[in-house]
Amino acid sequence: MDLNGRPDPPTEAGEKETLVGFLDFQRATLRWKCEGLTPEQLGTPSVDPSSMTLHGLIRHLTENELGWFVGTFTDEPVVYPYATPERPEGDWIGLDPKQYATDLYRYDEAVERARGVIADLDPDTVGEDDGRRFSLRWVLAHMIEEYARHNGHADLLRERLDGSTGE
């Protein structure tokens, strides 16, 4: 664990363990960037002209966890809690500070569901989403990229909200 409670990715492990280790580090980074703020702060856009918020990032990555892992590697229909065909940006808009704790709980559930889906899969396992095929290896690398990019956004949002900085 590092000083901020994030799990250190393994330095000597197999491919899947390394990829999952880096993904878990990125997941923990997002949670760390949200800690200690009020629900109102978490829903405040702070980097003009963007309307992005930390609360929105939690919701967006909830849907990414569900879509990429459950949607690609199971036959279960994915029920997205925020975005709909009529409201595709639903993960980013309509935030209610009173719902942050519920949204964070949904995020944690989505992460645990994703972990359960991939637990016994090999990196070469191929799943399908909207007619496109993806290996677990590709999805893990993509999700590391998705989190790393959004954690960069979270750094800027957090610094503007209360001056906190950090990797």
Side-chain angles (χ1 to χ4, degrees):
M1 292 282 180
D2 75 359
L3 295 174
N4 300 301
R6 298 174 297 176
D8 289 321
T11 58
E12 294 183 38
E15 178 185 18
K16 181 179 175 186
E17 293 81 13
T18 300
L19 290 169
V20 170
F22 273 94
L23 180 55
D24 283 340
F25 179 83
Q26 293 295 333
R27 288 166 169 158
T29 298
L30 178 64
R31 287 195 55 108
W32 170 51
K33 290 296 173 181
C34 295
E35 288 175 1
L37 296 174
T38 67
E40 290 74 23
Q41 286 174 306
L42 291 160
T44 300
S46 58
V47 182
D48 289 333
S50 175
S51 61
M52 185 180 289
T53 67
L54 291 166
H55 188 166
L57 285 172
I58 290 289
R59 289 169 46 138
H60 176 68
L61 288 161
T62 298
E63 296 205 333
N64 272 261
E65 293 277 355
L66 293 170
W68 281 111
F69 293 113
V70 178
T72 304
F73 296 103
T74 75
D75 292 331
E76 300 171 30
V78 176
V79 178
Y80 293 103
Y82 310 110
T84 64
E86 301 78 34
R87 198 174 137 181
E89 297 294 315
D91 46 348
W92 296 105
I93 60 175
L95 304 176
D96 179 353
K98 294 180 204 130
Q99 289 297 310
Y100 179 72
T102 300
D103 291 339
L104 186 60
Y105 181 77
R106 278 188 184 136
Y107 169 77
D108 290 339
E109 281 187 322
V111 167
E112 286 308 310
R113 181 69 184 110
R115 285 183 178 130
V117 166
I118 68 170
D120 296 325
L121 299 180
D122 182 88
D124 291 325
T125 301
V126 174
E128 190 172 316
D129 183 49
D130 290 331
R132 293 182 62 203
R133 294 170 49 85
F134 300 94
S135 70
L136 177 60
R137 175 183 298 101
W138 188 95
V139 172
L140 287 168
H142 172 71
M143 287 297 287
I144 292 165
E145 179 274 333
E146 181 82 4
Y147 270 94
R149 184 167 42 89
H150 285 314
N151 282 335
H153 298 136
D155 282 338
L156 295 172
L157 292 164
R158 181 66 190 250
E159 184 173 4
R160 291 293 302 220
L161 285 167
D162 72 352
S164 293
T165 60
E167 59 181 74

